[in-house]
Amino acid sequence: MIGLLTTLTFTVPLIGGLLLFRLDERKADAVMLGSFLIAMLLQFSVLVEYLLHHNHETVHIAYITTERLGEAYGIIVDPMSVLIGTVVALAGFIFMFYGMEYMSGRNVGHPVGKGRGLFYAWMTLFEGATLGFIYSSTFLGLLIFFELMGLACWGVVSYYNTPAGRRAGFKAFIIPNVGAMIGFYTAIGIGITQLHDLSLFSLSHVSDSVKPWLFLALLIAGYTKSAQFPTYSWIPDAMEAPTPASAFLHGAAMVEMGVYLVARVLQFIGTLPTWIFYFMAVMVSLTLLIPILNYPVQNDAKRLLAYSTVAEAGIMFVGLTFASLGLEVGLKAAMFQLTTHAFVKGLAFLTAGTFTYSLGTLDMRKISGLKEVLPINALAWSVALLGLAGLPPMAIAFSKAELLTGLDALKTTPVAWLPILMVLADSAVFLWVGVKWITRNVFGKKSVEMASTHPIITASLIMLIILVFIVPYLAYPLVHEIGFFGGGH
């Protein structure tokens, strides 16, 4: 039963996405929202079925096996895939519920109305591909859904068809695709020639001399997908996408799936040499330096949030850096950070989208007095910026605290201090910048006398504000069950 429910979770939006290429306006609204709603309900069914009947065990179903390839395609249902699948399905529904109004003719900055069916098609495919990626048990399945996510990302980033949008869409497709070729082609090549199995479970059988290089290749795929140093530049440019796509891209899909890929590999690959830890520690520290230097000079709300995404994904990779030493707490912290980040980053982007929708600008220098003009939006912007800085009791405070409990790595090497100090520095600088913009945008003198919003937008922001505060308590029981497979650590 759980296998069927899981498969339907990503199959339904994939089919819905294909149908949407032929639809527009109200029919497109209905099919898009229906696809996201059904996917969310199916994912909730998977969650309930898993918790009630599978007691945190790993459910592995091989759908396609051959003599040459071993397992070519299958699914894994375990605490990690169930948790992240639920995050993606819930966040995706809220983002596109909001998106139904954002993509209307009432949007001051980007009125659309007719033609939104194409955007819905790409977004619905994006949802299906992301969920398919999360549950895949083989490198062939991961590659197919990885590339489909990249195609959908190109579609949404270039949707407005401006010169900047077309360039950004091409860049968002090419950079992760290069990483995919390096990582997945290496893994599939080794699977075919040496292991005769494409399953993640076969990773533990890779020889010790090959294992670190295979991991490094897959790490490159994860870095490019997650916009880590030195391939981070595509993510600020991808702000050309409509805001609901930006929220999904940053909060629950593209960027997070690079982190998820590396976490999956670490679960199965077994013991790695210590130099992998040193390499990851240096790379993540360089990554965190980029947003620290860029926060103070950003005036565009979405670009500020884009650099924040580079940092938050980097913080997830700090957890995985500790996990490469065999510290299970690093794996848990990374997935906890992914979960909490999804909702606070979604809230931040959807609030920035209301600046476009209601005020026609993303230039934060032109926005002030929100507490009087748009009070719910003012509250949402304050919660989002303080939440991203890691201020308690917002969600990311808990996942960062989980990360800081992983200081056992300090017993291995003092180098472990480097990424920890960079996380603290990033939080401090973003808090300073966030407070500066809250003071101006929320409490400053009114920049306009009045601005209109819509109940759908208000409801979406309220749902996300609530989730920002409660999601750590809902997610932690599953986070606690996440661990390594195969006894390699």
Side-chain angles (χ1 to χ4, degrees), residues 98-142:
Y98 166 102
M100 193 167 54
E101 176 57 29
Y102 184 88
M103 300 302 290
S104 74
R106 291 177 288 274
N107 188 322
V108 174
H110 281 297
V112 178
K114 193 170 184 179
R116 61 185 180 270
L118 177 62
F119 173 70
Y120 290 163
W122 287 122
M123 282 300 296
T124 312
L125 283 175
F126 211 159
E127 164 98 339
T130 305
L131 289 167
F133 184 86
I134 287 167
Y135 285 110
S136 290
S137 65
T138 70
F139 285 107
L140 182 60
L142 288 168

Side-chain angles (χ1 to χ4, degrees), residues 179-262:
M181 288 190 291
I182 294 171
F184 289 112
Y185 290 7
T186 301
I188 290 172
I190 291 172
I192 292 172
T193 59
Q194 296 184 21
L195 305 174
H196 305 296
D197 189 2
L198 299 181
S199 168
L200 285 164
F201 290 92
S202 70
L203 281 172
S204 60
H205 303 303
V206 177
S207 66
D208 290 340
S209 61
V210 173
K211 189 178 289 185
W213 304 107
L214 171 58
F215 177 78
L216 202 60
L218 290 163
L219 185 64
I220 291 170
Y223 279 166
T224 57
K225 198 76 161 177
S226 295
Q228 299 294 282
F229 179 84
T231 61
Y232 66 90
S233 66
W234 69 267
I235 199 72
D237 293 347
M239 294 305 90
E240 295 294 326
T243 296
S246 299
F248 192 63
L249 175 69
H250 289 251
M254 189 86 164
V255 173
E256 279 71 13
M257 290 306 103
V259 176
Y260 184 85
L261 167 65
V262 177

Side-chain angles (χ1 to χ4, degrees), residues 297-317:
V297 297
Q298 300 305 313
N299 299 314
D300 182 286
K302 285 177 67 174
R303 287 187 72 87
L304 173 66
L305 298 178
Y307 281 106
S308 165
T309 297
V310 174
E312 298 301 336
I315 292 168
M316 298 173 209
F317 272 108

Side-chain angles (χ1 to χ4, degrees), residues 11-143:
T11 303
V12 167
L14 289 174
I15 294 170
L18 294 175
L19 292 174
L20 280 161
F21 282 108
R22 306 290 298 175
L23 301 174
D24 202 4
E25 298 183 285
R26 290 193 176 185
K27 288 182 180 177
D29 289 343
V31 173
M32 178 279 292
L33 199 61
S35 297
F36 274 85
L37 177 61
I38 292 169
M40 182 180 70
L41 294 176
L42 285 166
Q43 178 58 43
F44 285 163
S45 300
V46 171
L47 174 64
V48 171
E49 175 76 10
Y50 184 76
L51 293 176
L52 290 181
H53 299 114
H54 295 278
N55 196 28
H56 304 301
E57 66 185 0
T58 298
V59 179
H60 175 213
I61 302 171
Y63 283 134
I64 301 174
T65 57
T66 70
E67 187 175 341
R68 179 74 184 274
L69 302 178
E71 184 184 343
Y73 180 71
I75 60 172
I76 297 175
V77 186
D78 69 330
M80 194 160 94
S81 60
V82 171
L83 172 66
I84 306 306
T86 304
V87 169
V88 169
L90 176 57
F93 174 75
I94 296 173
F95 298 165
M96 290 311 293
F97 175 68
Y98 166 102
M100 193 167 54
E101 176 57 29
Y102 184 88
M103 300 302 290
S104 74
R106 291 177 288 274
N107 188 322
V108 174
H110 281 297
V112 178
K114 193 170 184 179
R116 61 185 180 270
L118 177 62
F119 173 70
Y120 290 163
W122 287 122
M123 282 300 296
T124 312
L125 283 175
F126 211 159
E127 164 98 339
T130 305
L131 289 167
F133 184 86
I134 287 167
Y135 285 110
S136 290
S137 65
T138 70
F139 285 107
L140 182 60
L142 288 168
L143 174 62

Side-chain angles (χ1 to χ4, degrees), residues 266-423:
L266 283 168
Q267 277 189 306
F268 288 94
I269 202 165
T271 304
L272 291 166
T274 307
W275 69 262
I276 291 287
F277 166 81
Y278 291 122
F279 176 80
M280 292 180 72
V282 170
M283 291 299 287
V284 78
S285 298
L286 290 171
T287 296
L288 287 167
L289 183 62
I290 302 298
I292 288 171
L293 295 175
N294 276 278
Y295 292 147
V297 297
Q298 300 305 313
N299 299 314
D300 182 286
K302 285 177 67 174
R303 287 187 72 87
L304 173 66
L305 298 178
Y307 281 106
S308 165
T309 297
V310 174
E312 298 301 336
I315 292 168
M316 298 173 209
F317 272 108
V318 171
L320 297 183
T321 300
F322 293 152
S324 72
L325 290 172
L327 298 173
E328 205 167 73
V329 68
L331 200 62
K332 296 180 195 293
M335 292 301 100
F336 201 17
Q337 172 76 3
L338 195 160
T339 301
T340 58
H341 174 253
F343 298 102
V344 71
K345 182 52 65 66
L347 176 64
F349 268 110
L350 296 198
T351 308
T354 67
F355 300 160
T356 302
Y357 179 92
S358 299
L359 305 172
T361 183
L362 284 167
D363 190 338
M364 292 182 287
R365 294 169 298 184
K366 299 178 181 178
I367 300 167
S368 61
L370 287 175
K371 70 181 177 64
E372 297 180 48
V373 180
L374 296 165
I376 297 297
N377 305 51
L379 174 64
W381 190 234
S382 302
V383 169
L385 293 185
L386 296 176
L388 285 170
L391 216 63
M394 271 75 87
I396 283 184
F398 294 90
S399 53
K400 286 184 178 179
E402 175 84 357
L403 177 66
L404 296 176
T405 63
L407 297 181
D408 283 350
L410 296 173
K411 298 174 184 176
T412 304
T413 169
V415 175
W417 273 110
L418 180 61
I420 289 292
L421 291 173
M422 293 302 292
V423 170

Side-chain angles (χ1 to χ4, degrees), residues 454-467:
H454 192 278
I456 285 177
I457 285 178
T458 301
S460 302
L461 296 181
I462 291 171
M463 282 190 283
L464 286 170
I465 290 171
I466 294 169
L467 284 166

